[in-house]
């Protein structure tokens, strides 16, 4: 028995759309770095602290963190680890759903 492979007519359009979205994401990430070469890219926490200090110089935080990382490098490492775990989880979920959909499609069309 010879299996015939049918091409999905939407597959090419979806691929092109995903490629365009990927290019747009890369452009959004790279454009500020290229256009603002002398800018300082800090985190939102530092900016919020600066604004709070400007609004109320006598402000005292009402809560202290339970644990603070011993250095900025450790803090960056934990942040990167958190981002990597999040990306891994999202990619695993997307791959799982893709495989599940593909298995259901193959079950419906056994040829």
């Amino acid at each position: 028995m010879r299996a015939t492979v049918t091409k999905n007519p939407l597959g090419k359009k979806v691929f092109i759309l995903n490629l365009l979205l990927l290019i747009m994401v890369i452009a959004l990430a790279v454009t500020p770095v290229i256009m603002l070469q002398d800018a300082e890219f800090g985190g939102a926490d530092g900016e919020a602290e600066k604004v709070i200090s400007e609004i109320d110089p006598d402000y005292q935080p009402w809560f202290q963190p339970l644990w603070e990382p011993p250095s900025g490098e450790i803090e960056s490492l934990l942040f990167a680890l958190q981002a990597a775990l999040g990306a891994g989880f999202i990619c695993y979920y997307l791959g799982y759903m893709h495989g599940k959909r593909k298995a259901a499609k193959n079950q419906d069309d056994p040829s």
Side-chain angles (χ1 to χ4, degrees), residues 67 88 92:
W67 178 75
Y92 173 78

Side-chain angles (χ1 to χ4, degrees), residues 20-49:
L20 287 174
L21 288 172
L22 180 65
I23 290 170
M24 288 172 54
V25 167
I26 291 171
L28 281 173
V30 171
T31 301
V33 176
I34 293 173
M35 294 184 71
L36 304 170
Q37 292 184 355
D38 295 333
E40 182 177 324
F41 294 100
D45 293 344
E47 291 296 319
E49 186 177 338

